[in-house]
Amino acid sequence: MASTFDFASWPPSLTVDQLENLTLYATSYALSHGALYLPPAEPQPTVPSAAIHAPISLFPSPFPRQLYEQGRRIQRTYNVLYSRIAMDTEFLDKIMGAEEGVGKVDDFIGQLWRGWKKLRDAGLAQPLHLGLFRSDYLLHAPRNEPLSIKQVEFNTISVSFGGLSQKTSELHRQVYLLAATDYYNSSSYLKPDNFPSNDSIAGLAQGLAEAHKAYDVEGSRILFVVQSGERNVFDQRLLEYELLEKHSIRIIRQTFSELALSASVDPSTCVLRIARSPDLQPSGSIEISTVYFRAGYMPHDYPTPAHYDTRFLLESSKAIKCPTIALQLAGGKKVQEVLTQAGMLERFLSDEKKYGKNIASMQDIDELRASFMGMWGLDVSEDLLTPDYAAQAAGSEEFGVRKARDLAQSLVLKPQREGGVNNVYKESIPGFLDALAPQERQAWIAMELIDAPENAGNYLVRAGSTDSQSQTPVKTDVVSELGIFGWALFGGPDKSIDEREVGWLVRTKGKDSNEGGVATGFSVLDSLLLV
Ligand code: ADP
Ligand code: MG
Ligand code: MG
């Protein structure tokens, strides 16, 4: 049965005193349990001595139970889909490559692709890939249509908040369970059954541990490649502690700049070793089983050619990469758009000749396809889906650009970038298109805007926002984005894909903000209340 929840009824109303008390419970819980960020500082101290609580919502956000379950279900298919894309070199060359694909016009993608091409021409030392994934969704609520979930994007590199999202779901549940508050019985939806569990820390750590196990060398460690100045370190540390405590796996954290001095790959064995880490013996070096990238997803991470060289050095080793360059390229927004084209899902999911018995049912494929919004490349010259429109729009401009102009109010344009703040929305689109050089069009996709319910509200609590006279957070109209985590280990000779769906994340932003990053300050961490 479709949910009939009235989003406008959220959040329940409380007195000022109650709100202040809830805020105290929530921030105390966050500060006590590691739902933390480093405070802004330039540069960050080498050894920090203070932290602030992560930005959080006071209430969990209502979400229809069956759509949450659908998101978890299709994650398994998405895990397989993106694993197969990463293994389809011919497809990635065509879509993302620097000879015919996006890499031709996008320098960052081109650099990564060229580095990968050179390495694979010489022969890759490690066939396995590890992906820690997050598929992001918004509720889609067009007038007169039932609610559905629509995919915003599929992330294949450096997916964050596996640590803090679990802490935030525990926070909301605890605030509920604390006898003193009970959210003051303010809504009949606030009951234990409606708080789904979330084991994203154990789940994502298990993915890393499986790769480490597959590498199978006693005494080796996992390398976390991190950004200097990173403030979201506790999210990463939670995975580190889980690896140590549950799997007895130790890790090393280093930046690309540090790795330029410390990393080496043995030319005959392709073993990756790290020397000169402060936590190693003065003369020792350590073998790396798995390289886990929490950096390297944007041009800013590669300020010099040497930084690319370091990335390629790691790629050339026989350590298992999370992700490989192939898997990073598979996560491009151009790939997401191409998947909406006829026959593409079938190519990866139901080609029995290629994948034998491991193919998806028509039902699984349809359910996955139902999560797509309409997308097209700005460089397309004709409409593959609705030829009528092409006839109407015939003019001097390429069809993709013309259509984006005409439908601008209901669109977002996206380049091949991660980390928020890169997209172009609605009324900014025509001016942007005027200025975009024709050869750049290949690097951009147009995507229909998801029509998220806008009448839900919440209280957003940011560190520093509650230390003034008024201790009560302000109610804001919000939009909530659900992320489902998964992992996949694949590429071995038997072609099998070991994969799991491993938890979720909710980020909530004020409805007037287009972009959604928590790290960029637009969003807060939130959790689910199933309705
Ligand atoms: P990034 O990889 O930079 O996170 P996204 O595709 O997730 O890029 O876009 C950033 C944000 O823009 C999303 O979190 C969401 O808030 C908003 N957004 C992106 N695509 C859409 C869409 N089709 N409809 C509505 N909002 C969108
Ligand atoms: Mg995103
Ligand atoms: Mg992204």
Side-chain angles (χ1 to χ4, degrees), residues 138 152-153 333 412 414 417-420 422-423 425 447-450 481 509 514-516:
L138 289 171
V152 175
E153 61 156 346
K333 296 190 168 75
V412 48
K414 302 187 187 185
R417 288 290 175 276
E418 299 297 330
N422 302 300
N423 299 342
Y425 296 86
M447 180 178 190
E448 291 169 358
L449 281 169
I450 305 168
E481 186 167 331
K509 62 174 184 177
N514 282 324
E515 300 277 353

mmCIF file of all heavy atoms in Angstrom, residues 138 152-153 333 412 414 417-420 422-423 425 447-450 481 509 514-516, ligand 1:
data_model
loop_
_atom_site.group_PDB
_atom_site.id
_atom_site.type_symbol
_atom_site.label_atom_id
_atom_site.label_comp_id
_atom_site.label_asym_id
_atom_site.label_seq_id
_atom_site.Cartn_x
_atom_site.Cartn_y
_atom_site.Cartn_z
ATOM 1 N N LEU A 138 16.186 10.721 -4.220
ATOM 2 C CA LEU A 138 15.208 11.647 -3.644
ATOM 3 C C LEU A 138 13.830 11.045 -3.856
ATOM 4 O O LEU A 138 13.604 10.305 -4.824
ATOM 5 C CB LEU A 138 15.273 13.009 -4.346
ATOM 6 C CG LEU A 138 16.507 13.880 -4.085
ATOM 7 C CD1 LEU A 138 16.513 15.084 -5.032
ATOM 8 C CD2 LEU A 138 16.561 14.339 -2.643
ATOM 9 N N VAL A 152 19.557 10.074 -7.762
ATOM 10 C CA VAL A 152 20.295 11.309 -8.039
ATOM 11 C C VAL A 152 21.597 10.958 -8.748
ATOM 12 O O VAL A 152 21.918 11.511 -9.796
ATOM 13 C CB VAL A 152 20.595 12.075 -6.725
ATOM 14 C CG1 VAL A 152 21.473 13.287 -6.987
ATOM 15 C CG2 VAL A 152 19.298 12.469 -6.033
ATOM 16 N N GLU A 153 22.328 10.031 -8.167
ATOM 17 C CA GLU A 153 23.603 9.607 -8.763
ATOM 18 C C GLU A 153 24.067 8.334 -8.082
ATOM 19 O O GLU A 153 23.569 7.962 -7.020
ATOM 20 C CB GLU A 153 24.678 10.695 -8.609
ATOM 21 C CG GLU A 153 24.974 11.016 -7.153
ATOM 22 C CD GLU A 153 26.351 11.616 -6.921
ATOM 23 O OE1 GLU A 153 27.203 11.570 -7.808
ATOM 24 O OE2 GLU A 153 26.582 12.103 -5.803
ATOM 25 N N LYS A 333 28.984 10.653 -14.402
ATOM 26 C CA LYS A 333 27.570 10.982 -14.640
ATOM 27 C C LYS A 333 27.186 10.704 -16.090
ATOM 28 O O LYS A 333 26.022 10.451 -16.392
ATOM 29 C CB LYS A 333 27.306 12.414 -14.210
ATOM 30 C CG LYS A 333 27.542 12.524 -12.705
ATOM 31 C CD LYS A 333 27.124 13.770 -12.054
ATOM 32 C CE LYS A 333 27.140 13.624 -10.544
ATOM 33 N NZ LYS A 333 28.471 13.632 -9.913
ATOM 34 N N VAL A 412 18.543 20.012 -14.387
ATOM 35 C CA VAL A 412 19.856 20.329 -13.842
ATOM 36 C C VAL A 412 20.881 19.833 -14.866
ATOM 37 O O VAL A 412 20.678 18.785 -15.487
ATOM 38 C CB VAL A 412 20.070 19.676 -12.452
ATOM 39 C CG1 VAL A 412 19.683 18.212 -12.419
ATOM 40 C CG2 VAL A 412 21.511 19.843 -11.967
ATOM 41 N N LYS A 414 24.841 18.637 -15.389
ATOM 42 C CA LYS A 414 25.942 18.140 -14.553
ATOM 43 C C LYS A 414 27.179 17.824 -15.397
ATOM 44 O O LYS A 414 27.068 17.162 -16.424
ATOM 45 C CB LYS A 414 25.536 16.842 -13.842
ATOM 46 C CG LYS A 414 24.325 16.951 -12.971
ATOM 47 C CD LYS A 414 24.128 15.653 -12.183
ATOM 48 C CE LYS A 414 22.819 15.670 -11.437
ATOM 49 N NZ LYS A 414 22.680 14.482 -10.580
ATOM 50 N N ARG A 417 31.908 15.580 -12.355
ATOM 51 C CA ARG A 417 32.603 15.944 -11.130
ATOM 52 C C ARG A 417 31.872 15.386 -9.930
ATOM 53 O O ARG A 417 30.689 15.089 -10.004
ATOM 54 C CB ARG A 417 32.665 17.475 -10.981
ATOM 55 C CG ARG A 417 33.615 18.149 -11.945
ATOM 56 C CD ARG A 417 35.074 17.868 -11.629
ATOM 57 N NE ARG A 417 35.946 18.438 -12.640
ATOM 58 C CZ ARG A 417 36.263 17.850 -13.791
ATOM 59 N NH1 ARG A 417 35.788 16.657 -14.073
ATOM 60 N NH2 ARG A 417 37.054 18.435 -14.646
ATOM 61 N N GLU A 418 32.595 15.303 -8.813
ATOM 62 C CA GLU A 418 32.016 14.850 -7.556
ATOM 63 C C GLU A 418 32.194 15.939 -6.506
ATOM 64 O O GLU A 418 32.996 16.849 -6.682
ATOM 65 C CB GLU A 418 32.737 13.579 -7.069
ATOM 66 C CG GLU A 418 32.643 12.408 -8.011
ATOM 67 C CD GLU A 418 31.223 11.929 -8.197
ATOM 68 O OE1 GLU A 418 30.410 12.068 -7.259
ATOM 69 O OE2 GLU A 418 30.911 11.451 -9.297
ATOM 70 N N GLY A 419 31.432 15.799 -5.424
ATOM 71 C CA GLY A 419 31.681 16.658 -4.265
ATOM 72 C C GLY A 419 30.804 17.886 -4.195
ATOM 73 O O GLY A 419 31.070 18.794 -3.404
ATOM 74 N N GLY A 420 29.731 17.922 -4.980
ATOM 75 C CA GLY A 420 28.797 19.050 -4.897
ATOM 76 C C GLY A 420 29.325 20.283 -5.601
ATOM 77 O O GLY A 420 30.435 20.291 -6.142
ATOM 78 N N ASN A 422 28.963 21.697 -8.420
ATOM 79 C CA ASN A 422 29.372 21.775 -9.826
ATOM 80 C C ASN A 422 28.194 21.919 -10.796
ATOM 81 O O ASN A 422 28.391 22.161 -11.972
ATOM 82 C CB ASN A 422 30.126 20.489 -10.205
ATOM 83 C CG ASN A 422 31.339 20.254 -9.336
ATOM 84 O OD1 ASN A 422 32.251 21.078 -9.307
ATOM 85 N ND2 ASN A 422 31.345 19.167 -8.591
ATOM 86 N N ASN A 423 26.978 21.728 -10.287
ATOM 87 C CA ASN A 423 25.826 21.635 -11.180
ATOM 88 C C ASN A 423 25.256 23.005 -11.545
ATOM 89 O O ASN A 423 25.480 23.991 -10.853
ATOM 90 C CB ASN A 423 24.722 20.805 -10.513
ATOM 91 C CG ASN A 423 25.171 19.379 -10.213
ATOM 92 O OD1 ASN A 423 26.141 18.910 -10.779
ATOM 93 N ND2 ASN A 423 24.469 18.716 -9.323
ATOM 94 N N TYR A 425 21.561 24.856 -12.461
ATOM 95 C CA TYR A 425 20.125 24.602 -12.280
ATOM 96 C C TYR A 425 19.256 25.621 -13.010
ATOM 97 O O TYR A 425 19.596 26.796 -13.094
ATOM 98 C CB TYR A 425 19.761 24.668 -10.787
ATOM 99 C CG TYR A 425 20.424 23.594 -9.967
ATOM 100 C CD1 TYR A 425 21.708 23.780 -9.457
ATOM 101 C CD2 TYR A 425 19.795 22.376 -9.714
ATOM 102 C CE1 TYR A 425 22.336 22.794 -8.705
ATOM 103 C CE2 TYR A 425 20.414 21.385 -8.975
ATOM 104 C CZ TYR A 425 21.681 21.599 -8.473
ATOM 105 O OH TYR A 425 22.306 20.617 -7.746
ATOM 106 N N MET A 447 19.690 16.532 -16.862
ATOM 107 C CA MET A 447 18.886 15.586 -16.082
ATOM 108 C C MET A 447 17.622 16.278 -15.608
ATOM 109 O O MET A 447 17.686 17.431 -15.142
ATOM 110 C CB MET A 447 19.704 15.115 -14.881
ATOM 111 C CG MET A 447 18.991 14.126 -13.977
ATOM 112 S SD MET A 447 20.094 13.611 -12.641
ATOM 113 C CE MET A 447 19.132 12.279 -11.946
ATOM 114 N N GLU A 448 16.504 15.599 -15.740
ATOM 115 C CA GLU A 448 15.247 16.159 -15.225
ATOM 116 C C GLU A 448 15.324 16.289 -13.716
ATOM 117 O O GLU A 448 15.847 15.407 -13.029
ATOM 118 C CB GLU A 448 14.079 15.237 -15.590
ATOM 119 C CG GLU A 448 13.786 15.215 -17.071
ATOM 120 C CD GLU A 448 12.810 14.104 -17.465
ATOM 121 O OE1 GLU A 448 12.392 13.322 -16.578
ATOM 122 O OE2 GLU A 448 12.501 14.010 -18.659
ATOM 123 N N LEU A 449 14.792 17.382 -13.208
ATOM 124 C CA LEU A 449 14.797 17.582 -11.759
ATOM 125 C C LEU A 449 13.810 16.636 -11.091
ATOM 126 O O LEU A 449 12.686 16.450 -11.564
ATOM 127 C CB LEU A 449 14.417 19.023 -11.425
ATOM 128 C CG LEU A 449 15.532 20.050 -11.592
ATOM 129 C CD1 LEU A 449 14.965 21.459 -11.491
ATOM 130 C CD2 LEU A 449 16.647 19.839 -10.561
ATOM 131 N N ILE A 450 14.246 16.049 -10.017
ATOM 132 C CA ILE A 450 13.373 15.201 -9.209
ATOM 133 C C ILE A 450 12.485 16.133 -8.385
ATOM 134 O O ILE A 450 12.953 17.139 -7.849
ATOM 135 C CB ILE A 450 14.215 14.275 -8.299
ATOM 136 C CG1 ILE A 450 15.203 13.461 -9.150
ATOM 137 C CG2 ILE A 450 13.307 13.373 -7.479
ATOM 138 C CD1 ILE A 450 16.271 12.745 -8.349
ATOM 139 N N GLU A 481 17.703 13.435 1.197
ATOM 140 C CA GLU A 481 18.287 12.531 0.194
ATOM 141 C C GLU A 481 18.724 11.249 0.885
ATOM 142 O O GLU A 481 19.498 11.286 1.840
ATOM 143 C CB GLU A 481 19.472 13.245 -0.481
ATOM 144 C CG GLU A 481 20.090 12.488 -1.637
ATOM 145 C CD GLU A 481 21.058 13.364 -2.480
ATOM 146 O OE1 GLU A 481 20.868 14.603 -2.543
ATOM 147 O OE2 GLU A 481 21.995 12.792 -3.054
ATOM 148 N N LYS A 509 18.654 18.909 3.492
ATOM 149 C CA LYS A 509 19.064 20.284 3.214
ATOM 150 C C LYS A 509 17.843 21.199 3.221
ATOM 151 O O LYS A 509 16.709 20.733 3.011
ATOM 152 C CB LYS A 509 19.763 20.359 1.863
ATOM 153 C CG LYS A 509 18.850 19.960 0.716
ATOM 154 C CD LYS A 509 19.477 20.154 -0.649
ATOM 155 C CE LYS A 509 18.435 19.827 -1.713
ATOM 156 N NZ LYS A 509 18.888 20.044 -3.072
ATOM 157 N N ASN A 514 20.039 24.252 -3.831
ATOM 158 C CA ASN A 514 20.068 23.276 -4.916
ATOM 159 C C ASN A 514 20.974 22.103 -4.596
ATOM 160 O O ASN A 514 20.619 20.953 -4.733
ATOM 161 C CB ASN A 514 20.551 23.932 -6.214
ATOM 162 C CG ASN A 514 19.453 24.748 -6.872
ATOM 163 O OD1 ASN A 514 18.290 24.365 -6.832
ATOM 164 N ND2 ASN A 514 19.818 25.867 -7.449
ATOM 165 N N GLU A 515 22.180 22.424 -4.154
ATOM 166 C CA GLU A 515 23.175 21.373 -3.937
ATOM 167 C C GLU A 515 22.950 20.726 -2.584
ATOM 168 O O GLU A 515 22.165 21.192 -1.775
ATOM 169 C CB GLU A 515 24.583 21.966 -3.995
ATOM 170 C CG GLU A 515 24.904 22.620 -5.323
ATOM 171 C CD GLU A 515 25.370 21.630 -6.393
ATOM 172 O OE1 GLU A 515 25.562 20.452 -6.056
ATOM 173 O OE2 GLU A 515 25.539 22.055 -7.539
ATOM 174 N N GLY A 516 23.684 19.613 -2.337
ATOM 175 C CA GLY A 516 23.346 18.871 -1.138
ATOM 176 C C GLY A 516 24.454 18.445 -0.195
ATOM 177 O O GLY A 516 24.212 17.702 0.715
HETATM 178 P P1 ADP B 1 27.802 15.251 -6.659
HETATM 179 O O1 ADP B 1 28.493 14.067 -7.233
HETATM 180 O O2 ADP B 1 28.589 16.491 -6.798
HETATM 181 O O3 ADP B 1 27.288 14.996 -5.275
HETATM 182 P P2 ADP B 1 24.996 15.132 -7.458
HETATM 183 O O4 ADP B 1 24.528 14.550 -8.738
HETATM 184 O O5 ADP B 1 24.734 14.329 -6.238
HETATM 185 O O6 ADP B 1 26.539 15.499 -7.604
HETATM 186 O O7 ADP B 1 24.318 16.551 -7.293
HETATM 187 C C1 ADP B 1 24.501 17.324 -6.113
HETATM 188 C C2 ADP B 1 23.155 17.655 -5.474
HETATM 189 O O8 ADP B 1 22.307 18.307 -6.428
HETATM 190 C C3 ADP B 1 22.338 16.469 -4.998
HETATM 191 O O9 ADP B 1 22.726 16.067 -3.688
HETATM 192 C C4 ADP B 1 20.915 17.004 -5.036
HETATM 193 O O10 ADP B 1 20.635 17.768 -3.871
HETATM 194 C C5 ADP B 1 20.964 17.932 -6.234
HETATM 195 N N1 ADP B 1 20.497 17.219 -7.439
HETATM 196 C C6 ADP B 1 21.251 16.538 -8.325
HETATM 197 N N2 ADP B 1 20.504 16.000 -9.304
HETATM 198 C C7 ADP B 1 19.221 16.342 -9.038
HETATM 199 C C8 ADP B 1 17.957 16.097 -9.694
HETATM 200 N N3 ADP B 1 17.878 15.400 -10.809
HETATM 201 N N4 ADP B 1 16.858 16.628 -9.118
HETATM 202 C C9 ADP B 1 16.924 17.352 -7.985
HETATM 203 N N5 ADP B 1 18.077 17.620 -7.334
HETATM 204 C C10 ADP B 1 19.215 17.124 -7.842
#
